[in-house]
Amino acid sequence: MTEHEHEDAGVREQSLEVIKHKLSLLPDKPGCYIMKNREGTIIYVGKAKVLKNRVRSYFTGSHSAKTQKLVSEIRDFEYIITSSNMEALILECNLIKQHHPRYNVLLKDDKTFPYIKITHEEQPRLEVTRRVFKDKGKYFGPYPNAFAAQQTKKLLDRLYPLRKCKTMPEKVCLYYHIGQCLAPCEFDVSAETNERMVQEISRFLNGGHDVIKEELTAKMLAAAEELNFERAKELRDHIMNIDAVMEKQKITTADALDRDVFGYAVDKGWMAVHIQYMRQGKLIERHVSLFPYYGDEYNDFITYVTQVYSDNPALPKEIFLPTIPVQTAVAPTTAPSDALPDAPTEASIDTSAEVPAEVVAQVEAEEKDVREALESWLKVKVHIPQRGLKKQMVDMAKDNARNALDEKFRLVERDERRTTKAVENLGEWLGTGTIRRIEAFDNSNIQGTNPVSAMVVFVDGRPDRKEYRKYKVKTVVGPDDYETMREVIRRRYERVLKDNLTMPDLIVVDGGKGQISAAVDVLENELGLFIPICGLVKDAKHKTAQLMIGDPAEVVPLPRDSQEFYLLQRIQDEVHRFAITFHRETRAKSMVVSQLDAIPGIGEKRRKALLKHFGSVRKIKEAEVQDFKPLGIGEKLASEILKALQGEAAAPQE
């Protein structure tokens, strides 16, 4: 056991003692718990109806592999008591958004749907947006795509002449002349007129288009009777436009309610959540998210649901959720009733014929708590249907989630088979025999400044990130790629020989004949190693173009559409990404060092102390003279530091 491992074991044992003591103090109340790792970083946030039962369950009994991984990193925990489950639900959502714990379900989807918005202004406007804010505006949607939203907005623009210009112009524009704006820029438009149009638009978008059609039809007939045929034709066109826009959507239910239907599936530590957006009784959009989960499946699913609605004022009238799986409610005999499940299954109360009555009652109580908490928070009706058409809708969402998960695993398996085959074939193309371990190198610098290099390792075609290495170039001055390659290859394989590390079956360098020749020279003539080395040459667009091997190097006629070529491309992209990231970090640190080292009276020791105390150069710039006293820095030197960093004379201090 190394010194680090021994120290870690000691810290772990000490932490467990603290945790054991804190577990005995947990209350029988609802709230949120916050799990932290060795560095004090928050890694998981959860909610509980009974804090004592839930938190204890992490440290008793057995868990799934994913949950065990989370538990193994816990070194401390905190908890916050709430007065209700609803408060715990909201608090958990806010804590996750604030801290982004690595083991929580995080809503990262960049998929956003378009909404139609009536702005909250003295002279309101109608607009299509993908960003929803709590700004007192009225939002309607989501729409299946931007085209559908724009078509609906164009129709409403013809029917209701609200302000069109984002910035009020000095005089009337074309919209006024074609009858689509009342021109509040030049004429007085009363609040009553605007409010009437807003109410009409809201009624239309909430499913009242049939009533509006009837009103327009009556006006059209009246205009025809008065021989005002131009007005009658205009109204007829409006009616036809309403029909054209609204009939494009397929009706799926008899009612005309807005509802979101959720379903989820879990497998191999992954969860898929499928949402069906129904507006005015019509299915207008579907969306699926896939992510790893580490806690209880249903709790993590509800966490996802809360994040969906946390910042979204465009809520439906109803939300449909699936039933709670039985194993979430069934308590193992060796753990508290709130314990985490060992292995999630798909069973739930409506599919298990022999579920004990007390378990059914427990599931129903849990479902009631979920419904009441969400309804209290969102002010939206929440259903967990057990039978009938509504249950079928939830089952359809669950089936879609299951299909998405199955498809993901099928694609992963296919990619693994292709990768394995590509690795096998690569050895045949290069004439090197079986290739299992590949080590790839890339250099990065800007006109010779802050030169660095990086190495990535792929084993059986997959990256082994624990084996990645970074190198600060020490002996090379200026942008000399060949000498940089010599230094890094020498340092890497001297260490491999010294520490008896695993030798690669293939070395990949970024470049052609010169880089290959430099690497071969160091390996064979200095270290006595004979490892196959190939180079990847890029084209004018910085894309992988050719594979070369040997000394002198020759082109390998590897087809650019082959899996072997794609594998090498992935390796080159990964090592380039890793090298560029390291170079940016190094350059940023160098800039910080240069700024502080240029100040008289600041040496390496004081520079490190300043950065440790303040955290960054920006925070040092924002500090006051007295903030430097804890570091033993007097007013004169503190003023000089601020003057140098701010580029101007520091303000005199009393």
Side-chain angles (χ1 to χ4, degrees):
M1 180 180 288
T2 66
E3 182 180 347
H4 174 74
E5 289 171 334
H6 180 74
E7 180 186 1
D8 187 52
V11 171
R12 172 67 172 160
E13 187 176 342
Q14 187 178 3
S15 299
L16 286 175
E17 283 297 319
V18 174
I19 288 172
K20 186 177 178 181
H21 174 69
K22 293 176 79 170
L23 287 174
S24 64
L25 303 176
L26 284 164
D28 293 321
K29 294 182 178 180
C32 287
Y33 52 93
I34 302 166
M35 302 297 194
K36 297 182 178 181
N37 65 7
R38 184 174 58 188
E39 287 77 31
T41 303
I42 295 174
I43 58 174
Y44 189 77
V45 173
K47 60 185 174 299
K49 186 169 63 174
V50 180
L51 278 168
K52 181 171 68 175
N53 291 350
R54 168 58 68 190
V55 179
R56 281 183 176 180
S57 72
Y58 285 89
F59 304 97
T60 57
S62 59
H63 303 297
S64 65
K66 284 258 182 182
T67 305
Q68 189 56 47
K69 187 176 188 305
L70 162 64
V71 174
S72 67
E73 292 191 29
I74 297 173
R75 295 293 184 273
D76 192 13
F77 72 86
E78 296 176 2
Y79 60 89
I80 302 171
I81 298 172
T82 60
S83 60
S84 66
N85 290 335
M86 189 224 5
E87 285 188 11
L89 198 74
I90 299 171
L91 177 60
E92 181 200 39
C93 185
N94 291 335
L95 289 172
I96 290 172
K97 286 195 298 182
Q98 180 182 351
H99 298 289
H100 302 284
R102 61 174 298 194
Y103 287 111
N104 272 105
V105 172
L106 300 174
L107 191 62
K108 296 179 180 178
D109 295 299
D110 57 1
K111 169 77 172 177
T112 55
F113 300 124
Y115 292 81
I116 290 179
K117 174 185 178 182
I118 305 173
T119 63
H120 181 70
E121 299 173 275
E122 184 179 349
Q123 298 294 334
R125 291 182 303 111
L126 202 61
E127 63 181 22
V128 173
T129 180
R130 291 182 182 270
R131 304 181 69 184
V132 180
F133 300 103
K134 293 181 179 179
D135 55 1
K136 296 185 179 180
K138 294 185 177 182
Y139 293 84
F140 304 89
Y143 283 80
N145 51 62
F147 178 76
Q150 290 290 356
Q151 288 296 102
T152 305
K153 178 183 177 296
K154 283 181 181 178
L155 170 61
L156 294 169
D157 284 339
R158 296 189 193 104
L159 293 172
Y160 305 103
L162 287 179
R163 173 167 72 99
K164 297 293 181 293
C165 301
K166 194 169 185 179
T167 302
M168 200 79 77
E170 295 180 357
K171 59 181 180 179
V172 297
C173 62
L174 180 62
Y175 285 113
Y176 171 74
H177 295 294
I178 62 176
Q180 292 189 19
C181 180
L182 294 178
C185 54
E186 192 162 323
F187 306 105
D188 289 331
V189 180
S190 66
E192 292 77 12
T193 301
N194 283 327
E195 181 61 25
R196 179 180 55 78
M197 287 192 288
V198 168
Q199 292 298 329
E200 289 288 308
I201 293 171
S202 300
R203 185 172 60 156
F204 181 97
L205 294 173
N206 280 324
H209 52 274
D210 288 333
V211 176
I212 291 171
K213 259 180 62 179
E214 292 175 4
E215 293 175 357
L216 291 175
T217 302
K219 290 180 181 179
M220 179 186 70
L221 294 174
E225 287 181 6
E226 296 171 3
L227 304 182
N228 188 351
F229 298 117
E230 187 175 345
R231 175 61 176 164
K233 179 180 178 298
E234 183 183 348
L235 292 167
R236 185 202 65 185
D237 291 343
H238 288 336
I239 294 168
M240 292 174 65
N241 286 328
I242 291 175
D243 289 335
V245 170
M246 302 313 297
E247 72 181 7
K248 290 179 181 178
Q249 299 175 358
K250 182 182 177 183
I251 295 178
T252 56
T253 59
D255 56 21
L257 287 177
D258 292 358
R259 57 170 62 96
D260 294 346
V261 183
F262 285 82
Y264 78 93
V266 294
D267 192 14
K268 300 174 185 174
W270 280 77
M271 178 180 292
V273 178
H274 185 92
I275 312 173
Q276 296 178 169
Y277 294 95
M278 303 187 72
R279 295 298 179 266
Q280 302 166 35
K282 305 168 182 66
L283 178 61
I284 66 165
E285 186 59 82
R286 300 179 183 189
H287 182 54
V288 66
S289 298
L290 295 97
F291 42 82
Y293 78 101
Y294 296 86
D296 168 77
E297 63 171 81
Y298 201 80
N299 278 341
D300 280 5
F301 163 69
I302 295 299
T303 296
Y304 178 89
V305 173
T306 60
Q307 290 185 62
V308 168
Y309 295 118
S310 62
D311 290 318
N312 191 347
L315 296 172
K317 300 296 183 185
E318 293 182 338
I319 297 172
F320 288 0
L321 301 177
T323 55
I324 297 179
V326 166
Q327 87 287 342
T328 300
V330 176
T333 56
T334 58
S337 61
D338 221 7
L340 290 168
D342 290 342
T345 67
E346 289 298 309
S348 63
I349 64 169
D350 56 317
T351 59
S352 302
E354 299 182 0
V355 177
E358 61 270 19
V359 174
V360 173
Q362 189 175 346
V363 170
E364 289 176 347
E366 291 285 341
E367 290 177 346
K368 182 182 178 184
D369 288 340
V370 168
R371 283 200 313 271
E372 290 179 349
L374 286 172
E375 286 177 347
S376 299
W377 179 28
L378 302 175
K379 305 298 185 287
V380 170
K381 189 67 179 175
V382 178
H383 298 278
I384 305 180
Q386 305 292 328
R387 62 187 66 83
L389 177 61
K390 294 178 179 179
K391 174 68 162 53
Q392 292 174 20
M393 293 164 65
V394 172
D395 287 344
M396 184 169 71
K398 289 170 64 177
D399 290 342
N400 278 280
R402 168 59 58 191
N403 288 337
L405 212 51
D406 290 344
E407 182 179 311
K408 170 186 171 60
F409 291 128
R410 284 198 302 271
L411 290 173
V412 169
E413 290 171 5
R414 186 196 66 179
D415 290 343
E416 286 181 349
R417 287 195 301 269
R418 286 183 174 181
T419 299
T420 302
K421 191 67 176 175
V423 173
E424 293 174 359
N425 293 343
L426 186 60
E428 296 178 10
W429 276 102
L430 298 175
T432 60
T434 303
I435 293 176
R436 293 200 65 245
R437 183 184 177 93
I438 299 174
E439 296 186 356
F441 295 83
D442 190 17
N443 304 324
S444 182
N445 66 78
I446 296 179
Q447 297 179 341
T449 63
N450 305 114
V452 299
S453 189
M455 180 195 78
V456 301
V457 177
F458 276 61
V459 178
D460 294 330
R462 286 176 287 277
D464 186 354
R465 291 184 173 82
K466 297 190 299 296
E467 295 286 311
Y468 286 14
R469 294 293 181 268
K470 302 172 182 176
Y471 298 92
K472 286 186 178 179
V473 178
K474 300 177 179 178
T475 62
V476 181
V477 178
D480 192 332
D481 207 31
Y482 300 152
E483 286 304 315
T484 299
M485 185 62 68
R486 287 176 180 275
E487 178 188 327
V488 173
I489 291 290
R490 184 183 298 114
R491 287 167 59 185
R492 167 62 183 169
Y493 295 104
E494 280 180 347
R495 173 57 62 90
V496 169
L497 290 170
K498 180 181 176 182
D499 295 347
N500 197 26
L501 304 176
T502 304
M503 287 285 183
D505 301 306
L506 177 68
I507 296 172
V508 178
V509 298
D510 183 59
K513 295 180 180 180
Q515 285 83 354
I516 294 174
S517 180
V520 168
D521 182 42
V522 171
L523 281 177
E524 295 184 0
N525 298 329
E526 295 185 25
L527 304 177
L529 295 174
F530 296 87
I531 303 171
I533 301 176
C534 69
L536 294 173
V537 184
K538 294 177 180 175
D539 58 20
K541 296 181 179 179
H542 212 65
K543 299 290 185 182
T544 308
Q546 283 184 330
L547 171 65
M548 304 186 77
I549 194 169
D551 190 18
E554 296 180 355
V555 175
V556 179
L558 193 64
R560 294 188 67 168
D561 60 350
S562 65
Q563 292 299 320
E564 295 79 19
F565 190 86
Y566 292 150
L567 172 62
L568 291 171
Q569 199 171 42
R570 288 200 302 275
I571 292 173
Q572 188 174 40
D573 289 345
E574 175 67 356
V575 70
H576 182 67
R577 178 200 65 78
F578 192 51
I580 285 291
T581 303
F582 181 43
H583 182 252
R584 286 172 180 162
E585 293 171 355
T586 305
R587 193 169 76 247
K589 289 178 182 177
S590 174
M591 291 168 67
V592 169
V593 169
S594 299
Q595 280 183 285
L596 292 174
D597 281 351
I599 303 171
I602 299 296
E604 183 180 356
K605 187 175 180 181
R606 268 185 173 159
R607 167 166 49 80
K608 288 181 178 179
L610 282 166
L611 289 172
K612 183 177 181 181
H613 181 74
F614 289 101
S616 68
V617 172
R618 182 179 62 82
K619 290 184 178 179
I620 299 175
K621 287 181 183 179
E622 296 170 354
E624 302 291 339
V625 168
Q626 58 267 26
D627 296 333
F628 293 83
K629 286 184 179 179
L631 298 172
I633 296 176
E635 291 186 8
K636 184 178 179 181
L637 180 55
S639 297
E640 289 296 324
I641 294 171
L642 293 173
K643 178 181 176 181
L645 293 180
Q646 295 171 354
E648 57 186 15
Q653 302 289 324
E654 293 185 359

